[in-house]
Amino acid sequence: MYAVNLKLIKEKRVEKGYSFSKIADLMGFNDKAKYYRREKGEYKFNPEELPAVAKILDIPISKIFVLKVSKIETNKEVTK
């Protein structure tokens, strides 16, 4: 299963010097909290928002996603 790479998104935002307000404006959000909650993982990015984030932050869309290993899969590896 894949997850959004929130760490990379934050790193790129900080690297570019974008505040939460600035990126929220670039994303078309009327409130910086909407973006903040997504970057912090409190809410998920909507699928249509991810290409915009990738473009604004100059991240290849393929790098936006990371492979997420579940605890069950990790435990199976340990018991082998």
Side-chain angles (χ1 to χ4, degrees):
M1 179 196 278
Y2 287 90
V4 175
N5 190 343
L6 298 175
K7 182 179 176 187
L8 177 63
I9 290 171
K10 179 182 178 180
E11 287 172 1
K12 289 292 189 176
R13 179 185 57 77
V14 171
E15 182 180 297
K16 289 188 164 286
Y18 291 164
S19 66
F20 288 116
S21 294
K22 173 71 175 175
I23 198 158
D25 286 343
L26 292 171
M27 294 285 300
F29 294 142
N30 58 3
D31 182 10
K32 70 179 180 181
K34 286 185 177 185
Y35 177 82
Y36 172 85
R37 289 182 185 126
R38 285 166 172 78
E39 187 180 285
K40 294 295 182 184
E42 294 174 17
Y43 294 111
K44 293 181 180 181
F45 279 99
N46 294 326
E48 61 274 4
E49 294 168 348
L50 293 172
V53 170
K55 185 175 180 177
I56 291 166
L57 298 177
D58 296 321
I59 302 170
I61 194 73
S62 61
K63 301 270 183 179
I64 290 284
F65 300 99
V66 291
L67 186 60
K68 182 179 176 183
V69 179
S70 71
K71 290 181 182 180
I72 294 170
E73 290 174 24
T74 304
N75 288 339
K76 285 181 185 176
E77 293 296 320
V78 172
T79 57
K80 285 186 178 181

